[in-house]
């Protein structure tokens, strides 16, 4: 029997960064997917109502972005958008601003295939998830926009081109110094009204009660909108708005969710109502000759 020869162990690698593939600087994350700054040429000094978030994109979301974005996605770059061309039909279009991970959007699209949903967000994982959900469900009435909804409304959509607008659970910006960042403000409502056809419904929902009260005040005071609730105030949650997992968790914690449904008044109606108010006799002024 021969003696075994003792050989020194090979040196172990020192701890350090993994050998994961990194993109060269300037190379897009998804070459055929959403751009990081689609409206860079439209940069403006404006307070944003959203804060882009960086989070991990799963393999399924990444695959959906690469495969489906060229067909169902678009970047909000300031160029005029032809909705009939984008969807391939002339069905009514509802704009949804901020769809999170897209579960509610996909369910509403499946329940109402005769309505096209233009879903806009800046969260890349959510964009990929919604594309994946739409593909799995065989939906053809969903398009996903990447970027600033203000630029979309102001520069890319024609007047009276929308049959509805949905803003579900927008960032409440709870600190008082950040209230100016809230989306539902008089200037936003004026812009939105210019793109909503008469009779179109603006549907907002929030679980932040102070924001809900502000929404109600601003919408009630705006001349382009009227409350669908005859008695005023908040509306019951309509059956077509799905109860999401996020909302369910909030309800379990005791959060109160408020829905607001306001209708775009016909053109000129707000002017007529204003003139009627001007010419109506004031109760505190006695009639002439009294």
């Amino acid at each position: 029997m021969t003696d075994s020869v003792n050989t020194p162990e090979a040196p172990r690698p020192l701890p350090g960064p993994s050998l994961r593939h990194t993109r060269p600087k300037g190379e897009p994350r998804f070459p055929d997917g959403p751009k990081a700054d689609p409206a860079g040429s439209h940069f403006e000094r404006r307070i944003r109502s959203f804060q882009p978030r960086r989070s991990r994109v799963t393999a399924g979301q990444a695959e959906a972005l690469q495969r489906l974005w060229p067909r169902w996605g678009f970047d909000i770059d300031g160029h005029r958008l032809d909705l009939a061309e984008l969807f391939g039909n002339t069905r009514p279009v509802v704009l949804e601003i901020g769809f999170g991970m897209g579960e509610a959007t996909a369910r509403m699209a499946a329940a109402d295939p005769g309505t096209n949903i233009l879903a806009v967000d800046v969260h890349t994982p959510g964009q990929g998830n919604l594309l994946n959900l739409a593909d799995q469900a065989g939906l053809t009435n969903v398009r996903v926009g990447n970027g600033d909804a203000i630029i979309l409304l102001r520069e890319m959509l024609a007047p009276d081109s929308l049959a509805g607008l949905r803003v579900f659970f927008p960032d409440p910006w709870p600190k008082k110094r950040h209230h100016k960042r809230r989306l539902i403000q008089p200037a936003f409502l004026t812009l939105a009204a210019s793109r909503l056809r008469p009779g179109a419904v603006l549907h907002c929902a929030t679980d932040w009660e102070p924001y809900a009260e502000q929404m109600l005040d601003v919408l009630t005071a705006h001349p382009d909108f009227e409350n669908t609730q005859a008695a005023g105030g908040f509306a019951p949650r309509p059956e077509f708005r799905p109860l999401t997992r996020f909302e369910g968790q909030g309800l379990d914690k005791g959060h109160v969710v408020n829905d607001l449904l306001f209708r775009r008044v016909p053109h000129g109606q707000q002017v007529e109502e204003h003139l009627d108010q001007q010419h109506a006799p004031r109760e505190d002024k006695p009639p002439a000759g009294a």
Side-chain angles (χ1 to χ4, degrees):
M1 176 182 288
T2 59
D3 295 334
S4 60
V5 179
N6 294 324
T7 57
E9 293 184 3
R12 296 181 179 180
L14 295 175
S18 63
L19 299 179
R20 293 169 56 190
H21 172 71
T22 56
R23 300 188 312 277
K25 186 176 181 180
E27 180 181 314
R29 189 177 187 184
F30 301 101
D32 297 322
K35 294 183 175 62
D37 185 17
S41 59
H42 290 258
F43 175 80
E44 53 190 327
R45 300 184 67 84
R46 174 170 57 83
I47 296 173
R48 295 292 195 269
S49 61
F50 60 88
Q51 182 66 43
R53 309 186 306 277
R54 288 186 176 274
S55 56
R56 188 176 69 87
V57 178
T58 67
Q61 294 162 0
E63 191 275 336
L65 285 167
Q66 287 289 88
R67 180 169 55 88
L68 299 171
W69 187 263
R71 181 155 47 112
W72 289 343
F74 71 97
D75 284 306
I76 298 174
D77 55 9
H79 296 92
R80 182 55 65 96
L81 191 64
D82 186 326
L83 294 177
E85 180 180 348
L86 180 68
F87 285 95
N89 58 64
T90 57
R91 295 169 186 159
V93 177
V94 171
L95 172 63
E96 182 175 357
I97 299 177
F99 54 80
M101 296 305 291
E103 294 97 339
T105 306
R107 290 167 62 183
M108 288 187 290
D112 186 11
T115 297
N116 295 325
I117 298 183
L118 190 65
V120 174
D121 210 307
V122 294
H123 190 220
T124 309
Q127 294 166 351
N129 200 59
L130 177 54
L131 288 171
N132 200 22
L133 291 172
D135 186 43
Q136 291 176 353
L139 304 177
T140 60
N141 59 332
V142 176
R143 298 294 181 270
V144 180
N146 168 55
D148 190 343
I150 298 297
I151 293 176
L152 173 69
L153 285 165
R154 191 184 63 203
E155 303 183 29
M156 299 177 66
L157 296 178
D160 297 350
S161 58
L162 296 175
L165 173 59
R166 296 167 180 164
V167 184
F168 297 156
F169 304 99
D171 193 328
W173 295 102
K175 294 181 180 178
K176 187 174 181 179
R177 69 175 184 270
H178 291 156
H179 286 184
K180 58 189 176 183
R181 296 182 178 274
R182 289 176 171 175
L183 180 62
I184 306 302
Q185 307 273 6
F188 170 78
L189 294 178
T190 298
L191 174 60
S194 71
R195 301 301 182 253
L196 289 167
R197 65 185 60 168
V201 172
L202 167 59
H203 183 184
C204 301
T206 180
D207 63 340
W208 192 262
E209 291 187 81
Y211 194 11
E213 293 290 346
Q214 179 191 325
M215 287 181 180
L216 182 60
D217 290 343
V218 172
L219 277 161
T220 301
H222 201 284
D224 290 334
F225 293 95
E226 63 181 3
N227 200 332
T228 61
Q229 303 301 299
F234 300 111
R237 180 179 69 86
E239 292 184 1
F240 65 80
R241 183 176 72 76
L243 183 68
T244 65
R245 180 176 53 184
F246 167 81
E247 183 179 357
Q249 291 172 347
L251 292 172
D252 290 340
K253 297 176 182 177
H255 295 184
V256 176
V257 176
N258 287 298
D259 284 77
L260 303 95
L261 286 89
F262 277 72
R263 185 179 295 107
R264 172 68 163 102
V265 303
H267 298 307
Q269 178 175 315
Q270 63 270 43
V271 177
E272 294 172 3
E273 291 176 349
H274 178 67
L275 292 175
D276 290 342
Q277 291 173 1
Q278 282 187 324
H279 295 293
R282 294 182 56 178
E283 295 181 359
D284 59 345
K285 182 179 180 181

